[in-house]
Structures are given as C-alpha cells and as structure tokens.
Amino acid sequence: TGPGKVNDGVSEFCRRVVEVERGQRERITHGNLDAQRDITDVRDMSRALQACENAAFGEAYNLCSNVAYTIEDILSIIIESSTTDVEAVLDPALIRPTDEPIIMGENTKFKSKTGWSPVVPLQVTIVDTLEFFRNAHSR
C-alpha cells in the first residue's frame, strides 16, 4: 500500500478519512479489527522488484514486510493522522465469515539473497497516503 495505490484496506480507509475531512462522509465503517495483515509500502515494493536482479532465477520469494499489524492499529494511526475528528463504526455487514486471522509473509530468504529490506515506516506510509488522497480530491 501507499501513495498512488488504491483499492486495498489501508488506501480505502485513508480515502474515506479524507472524505470525512472534506465533509463528504459523516463517519467511516469497518469490519473485523482483530485481523492482522503484513503491510508493505509501495516504495519498498518497487525497490524489492529492482532487487530481484540479485535473486536466483526460478526461485520463489516472499516480498513483504515480515511484520503483521492489526487492522485496529492501522485504523488508529490513520485516524490519529487525520486533520479532523473521525468516528469509526463497526458495520456487521463488513465482517467476513471466513476472514483469515493473520496474513503475514516471511522475507528472510529474499533479504539474504538481495540485501533488500523494507525501510518506510507504517506511519510514513499512512501520512503520505492521506496526502495522496487529499491532493487527488482537490483537483
């Protein structure tokens, strides 16, 4: 996720928070906040793809952060980074009956082959994504 990325959990929350900031929405809704997800910034992923030159051809690698954040933690950072008060409300319709409790990658093999490591902190990813949507909506 990150600035320029759309249609994923973080970017959708950021887009909706910007809509609250602009008065286009009263609140945001969410589903399960306990789920954990491995979040990697698009800029780190771009560097990871470039680092593939140093990986072994034909091998499988996980390009990921190797860190799982709860949706609650992610949403909290997004709301704290907003320029206004944002109310987040549980929408039972957004609870997935088969939601995986944790989705996290393991990047040790890729890191050892290429030297790549994610460097963009989640807070920076979120602030930059909010700014992306603020700028996109002001055009």
Side-chain angles (χ1 to χ4, degrees):
T1 195
K5 176 74 173 80
V6 296
N7 299 324
D8 66 34
V10 173
S11 67
E12 281 302 301
F13 278 141
C14 287
R15 181 183 60 80
R16 293 173 190 163
V17 163
V18 169
E19 289 173 355
V20 171
E21 291 174 353
R22 297 196 179 280
Q24 299 167 327
R25 176 186 291 266
E26 289 184 28
R27 68 185 64 83
I28 62 171
T29 56
H30 61 79
N32 177 16
L33 294 179
D34 295 327
Q36 297 178 49
R37 298 294 180 259
D38 187 324
I39 305 295
T40 309
D41 189 284
V42 294
R43 295 162 289 192
D44 282 329
M45 290 303 286
S46 176
R47 287 186 318 94
L49 293 173
Q50 292 170 348
C52 285
E53 294 178 348
N54 302 319
F57 181 78
E59 287 288 317
Y61 298 96
N62 288 321
L63 306 182
C64 57
S65 73
N66 219 39
V67 177
Y69 302 92
T70 66
I71 302 302
E72 181 175 27
D73 289 340
I74 293 166
L75 184 56
S76 292
I77 295 169
I78 293 169
I79 289 172
E80 289 167 8
S81 301
S82 175
T83 60
T84 191
D85 290 331
V86 176
E87 180 184 12
V89 178
L90 173 66
D91 180 349
L94 296 176
I95 301 289
R96 299 177 189 160
T98 59
D99 198 9
E100 303 234 6
I102 182 168
I103 299 175
M104 186 177 101
E106 200 335 301
N107 64 18
T108 304
K109 179 180 173 184
F110 188 70
K111 285 170 68 173
S112 68
K113 291 284 187 181
T114 66
W116 172 87
S117 194
V119 296
V120 181
L122 180 62
Q123 177 74 31
V124 170
T125 299
I126 287 171
V127 168
D128 291 352
T129 303
L130 285 166
E131 277 304 306
F132 168 79
F133 284 107
R134 288 175 184 133
N135 293 330
H137 287 143
S138 66
R139 293 180 189 152

